[in-house]
Amino acid sequence: MFLGKHDMMYAVSQGAMAVEVREGDGATVAMLAQISDTHTALRVTAERTFMRVLDGGCSVPIGTWSELAGDHLTLSGTVLSCDGSEMLYSERSDILPPAAPTTHHCDIDMLHRAGPLRDALGGRDLLSTSDIVLHSTGVYCATRDVRRFDVAEGCGRMVAEALEGMGAREVLRRARESGSVVDVNKAPNKRPSVEERVGEVKRTRTEESL
């Protein structure tokens, strides 16, 4: 059985795999570019832009769904209240431009304000020998033509802005103030040990006897 977007939307970029790379580690970037999946990267770019514009995170009630069929990219986004009583929904489709691998890498560097990617070992300009570009969203693209990623980024932004116009920020503000949204980046409270719990019981009984 397959659940569609009208049955259940998923968390941003759920199921997509990514690898963090040290800044300037061109050799590793070049290696990973060999297994990079552009189809997934384009969808992730749209979804993560959508989340970033709304200041979302993995514990915020935001859902998404993206599809890429040929050159047609469709992104759906939703913002909900914690109890599900409120739901805002928006969807947008964009046509990605055809790839143009002849674009000069220096022009792309200047457009996205990112200097040429240097090989950590040889100091050579990887962009002159391979199709790797650091996009403005922070994603390394295994292509010299980033216009498709620009459109994906714009698609995510437009869906988020449409939801903002419906009152999404107010819904998310109430969700955060309710205490239901947990900051998963904070370490959980340490569970007390058996000895600590026994000690607390003894202290309580001693205070009651006094």
Side-chain angles (χ1 to χ4, degrees):
M1 180 178 178
F2 180 78
L3 296 176
K5 62 183 175 184
H6 298 296
D7 300 308
M8 182 182 70
M9 301 182 79
Y10 53 80
V12 169
S13 301
Q14 188 171 22
M17 298 183 65
V19 179
E20 280 192 61
V21 180
R22 292 171 297 183
E23 184 177 1
D25 190 351
T28 301
V29 172
M31 176 183 66
L32 293 173
Q34 304 303 311
I35 59 172
S36 176
D37 182 69
T38 302
H39 182 102
T40 301
L42 287 165
R43 293 174 58 189
V44 166
T45 296
E47 293 178 13
R48 288 182 59 83
T49 300
F50 161 70
M51 178 181 69
R52 185 178 67 251
V53 172
L54 291 174
D55 297 323
C58 56
S59 63
V60 174
I62 291 177
T64 188
W65 184 285
S66 66
E67 296 177 272
L68 180 56
D71 291 332
H72 292 261
L73 173 65
T74 301
L75 178 70
S76 305
T78 186
V79 171
L80 304 99
S81 59
C82 290
D83 62 2
S85 61
E86 296 177 273
M87 176 181 173
L88 307 177
Y89 178 87
S90 182
E91 181 176 298
R92 178 181 177 85
S93 294
D94 282 307
I95 299 178
L96 302 178
T102 56
T103 303
H104 197 276
H105 71 273
C106 290
D107 296 333
I108 297 176
D109 292 340
M110 293 177 64
L111 177 63
H112 292 85
R113 299 179 182 179
L117 181 63
R118 299 290 179 180
D119 189 323
L121 298 177
R124 58 188 171 87
D125 182 357
L126 283 177
L127 291 181
S128 64
T129 58
S130 59
D131 296 331
I132 304 174
V133 173
L134 176 59
H135 191 257
S136 57
T137 56
V139 176
Y140 280 110
C141 310
T143 174
R144 297 189 184 191
D145 181 18
V146 295
R147 293 179 303 154
R148 296 166 71 85
F149 286 87
D150 290 341
V151 172
E153 179 186 13
C155 184
R157 181 181 298 106
M158 293 297 288
V159 171
E161 291 176 351
L163 289 173
E164 284 181 321
M166 302 176 193
R169 288 197 177 276
E170 176 61 22
V171 174
L172 293 175
R173 182 190 65 79
R174 291 198 298 269
R176 292 186 175 96
E177 291 181 352
S178 70
S180 301
V181 177
V182 179
D183 186 351
V184 296
N185 293 316
K186 291 183 178 179
N189 294 328
K190 179 183 176 183
R191 251 184 108 180
S193 64
V194 174
E195 292 78 9
E196 290 172 331
R197 293 199 297 271
V198 170
E200 183 61 32
V201 171
K202 289 181 177 178
R203 283 193 296 274
T204 302
R205 289 178 178 174
T206 301
E207 292 173 356
E208 291 176 349
S209 63
L210 295 176

